[in-house]
């Protein structure tokens, strides 16, 4: 049936069409029609032509359009859906599942004792794997499903984002690229912050680290059956475990550091861990941990820096003096002392991330310079090859080498820029910044959450949590946990 021109003119004068995301079309009839005494007879053909003129040709809702045509006054001033396309289904991101032995993982979980205290020390840190064992599995990306707009055109989905397997020391990727395998027998260590799975051997000392042993620098795990005496240095790519005490020494580990006794450093030496630091007590110590610092009894006059948490959970645990920094939270029974000893707690600062951000910035500057030099050299060689002359063998070999180098540099640049974006997002998020105190807070305390600062001038007895609310630090009473 032919479209009546007067009907089409009525639609143009009294209605409008909007399309959202290319998938949905809406018709809005002016509420002025509510004031008209009489309305013209309208046909479905004129409405269809009006929609076609606005690019709506696919997925038209015949029932809705027929109802509008029969009684347009009922739809005056109302936004009505008249067409629906097919929205695209975006692809799924690749997923990584770390296949660490579940029995050993459970052994690392702290045990809750009968009296309610938590034992952070008997945790069984050794996790043994064999050559060829699966350490991680990747589920690949999907491309998604294409959609169709109300104009009949395809709407393309966003493909899933690929991620790399957590390749570390003594690990290898399977031929299909979906499995991470152990390249040798040894101890497996997973660092979630660096997203690497490493397999290490263990270096063991049956007694103390003293002049009979000397300093230790090892690419695996280090186990000390005794204590570490003043002035000695232990560096390990994996974990460090000390059965005794640490006195004014330097310990640095890529993984965790577990000290069964205590640490007394008299402001000398350093304990630095890429993972978690555990000890019975810390006194006048400098400690840096990529993940957590977990102490049983006390932290006194120390400088502590933890990427995630500082936790003290014994019945009489206390933090007194010094500076304690954590990325997400600090937990203790007592904070400060009755003598108002100056004590600072900073949460939400992510100290290791700020250092890493600076390193990424410097590396990106160097990469940009190297990429530009490589591009200029390749352009010169390509120009020589493009004038019809065959490059000499040495020039062709240089060209191939520069091309490989260029791809390697650009991939490294992409990886660094992705890591920079992840760090920036973490530094802006202070929602997790919390300080938990379960018994008493003394004056002389300075609390910093992100960029917000609060000074405690009066003692408070009871359980309290400090967090950011409405742009400032606020304290709320909580039940014991």
């Amino acid at each position: 049936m032919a479209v009546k021109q007067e009907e089409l003119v009525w639609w143009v004068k009294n209605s409008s069409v909007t399309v959202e995301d290319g998938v949905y079309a809406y018709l809005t009839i002016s509420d002025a029609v509510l004031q008209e005494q009489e309305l013209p007879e309208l046909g479905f053909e004129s409405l269809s032509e009006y929609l076609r003129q606005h690019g709506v040709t696919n997925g038209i809702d015949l029932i809705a359009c027929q109802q509008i045509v029969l009684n347009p006054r009922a739809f005056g001033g109302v936004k009505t859906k008249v067409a629906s396309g097919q929205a695209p289904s975006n692809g799924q991101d690749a997923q990584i599942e770390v296949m660490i032995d579940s029995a050993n993982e459970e052994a690392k979980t702290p045990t809750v004792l009968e009296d309610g205290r938590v034992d952070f020390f008997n945790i069984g840190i050794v996790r043994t794997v064999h050559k060829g064992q699966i350490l991680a599995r990747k589920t690949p990306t999907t491309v998604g499903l294409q959609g169709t707009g109300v104009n009949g055109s395809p709407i393309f989905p966003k493909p899933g984002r690929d991620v790399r397997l957590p390749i570390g020391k003594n690990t290898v990727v399977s031929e299909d690229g979906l499995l991470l395998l152990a390249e040798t027998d040894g101890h497996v260590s997973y660092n979630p912050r660096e997203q690497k799975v490493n397999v290490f051997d263990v270096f063991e000392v049956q007694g103390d680290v003293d002049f009979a042993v000397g300093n230790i620098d090892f690419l695996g795990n280090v186990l000390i059956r005794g204590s570490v005496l003043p002035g000695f240095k232990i560096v390990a790519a994996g974990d460090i475990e000390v059965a005794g005490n640490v006195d004014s020494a330097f310990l640095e580990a890529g993984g965790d550091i577990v000290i069964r006794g205590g640490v007394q450093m008299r402001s000398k030496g350093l304990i630095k861990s890429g993972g978690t630091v555990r000890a019975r007590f810390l006194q006048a110590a400098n400690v840096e941990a990529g993940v957590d610092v977990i102490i049983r009894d006390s932290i006194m006059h120390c400088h502590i820096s933890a990427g995630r948490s500082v936790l003290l959970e014994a019945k009489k645990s206390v933090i007194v003096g010094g500076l304690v920094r954590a990325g997400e939270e600090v937990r203790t029974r007592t904070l400060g002392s009755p003598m108002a000893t100056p004590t600072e707690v900073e949460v939400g600062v992510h100290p290791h991330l700020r250092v890493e951000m600076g390193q990424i910035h410097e590396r990106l500057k160097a990469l940009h310079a190297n990429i530009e030099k490589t591009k200029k050299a390749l352009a010169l060689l390509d120009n020589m090859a493009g004038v019809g002359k065959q490059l000499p063998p040495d020039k062709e070999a240089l060209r191939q080498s520069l091309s490989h180098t260029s791809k390697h540099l650009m991939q490294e640049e992409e990886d660094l820029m992705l890591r920079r974006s992840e760090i920036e997002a973490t530094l802006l998020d202070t929602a997790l910044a919390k300080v938990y105190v379960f018994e008493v807070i003394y004056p002389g305390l300075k609390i910093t959450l992100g960029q917000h600062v609060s000074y405690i001038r009066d003692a408070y007895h009871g359980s309290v949590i400090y967090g950011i609310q409405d742009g400032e630090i606020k304290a709320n009473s909580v039940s014991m946990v």
Side-chain angles (χ1 to χ4, degrees), residues 12-31:
V12 173
K13 180 181 178 181
N14 293 285
S15 63
S16 62
V17 176
T18 55
V19 177
E20 295 182 2
D21 300 325
V23 180
Y24 303 104
Y26 296 87
L27 177 72
T28 303
I29 299 178
S30 172
D31 55 7

Side-chain angles (χ1 to χ4, degrees), residues 142-218:
T142 60
V143 297
L145 297 176
Q146 179 178 296
T148 305
V150 292
N151 62 355
S153 299
I155 301 177
F156 299 102
K158 295 180 180 179
R161 184 175 65 88
D162 195 17
V163 293
R164 292 179 301 278
L165 285 163
I167 303 171
K169 296 181 184 298
N170 297 323
T171 62
V172 64
V173 178
S174 61
E175 291 184 2
D176 61 5
L178 300 180
L179 298 175
L180 183 67
L181 308 173
E183 201 170 28
T184 184
D185 295 346
H187 171 79
V188 63
S189 175
Y190 175 52
N191 188 325
R193 182 168 66 88
E194 295 183 0
Q195 295 185 342
K196 287 185 178 181
V197 174
N198 301 301
V199 178
F200 302 109
D201 294 326
V202 178
F203 181 87
E204 184 173 345
V205 177
Q206 292 297 325
D208 296 338
V209 175
D210 53 17
F211 287 104
V213 176
N215 294 331
I216 298 171
D217 189 349
F218 187 59

Side-chain angles (χ1 to χ4, degrees), residues 74-137:
F75 296 89
V78 178
K79 183 178 179 181
T80 306
K81 185 188 294 184
V82 292
S84 300
Q86 178 65 47
S89 177
N90 293 331
Q92 297 293 319
D93 293 343
Q95 301 291 325
I96 301 296
E97 179 185 6
V98 178
M99 310 290 287
I100 302 290
D101 181 68
S102 60
N104 283 329
E105 280 295 300
E106 292 173 1
K108 291 196 68 175
T109 304
T111 303
V112 179
L113 305 178
E114 293 182 357
D115 59 3
R117 293 180 295 117
V118 180
D119 183 357
F120 292 104
F121 304 101
N122 297 314
I123 55 175
I125 64 171
V126 177
R127 292 176 290 185
T128 301
V129 295
H130 300 285
K131 182 178 180 179
Q133 183 173 329
I134 299 174
L135 305 177
R137 186 190 307 273

Side-chain angles (χ1 to χ4, degrees), residues 40-56:
E41 290 188 8
L42 300 172
F44 178 78
E45 293 77 15
S46 61
L47 176 55
S48 297
E49 175 61 18
Y50 178 64
L51 293 176
R52 186 191 68 77
Q53 292 181 1
H54 285 79
V56 181

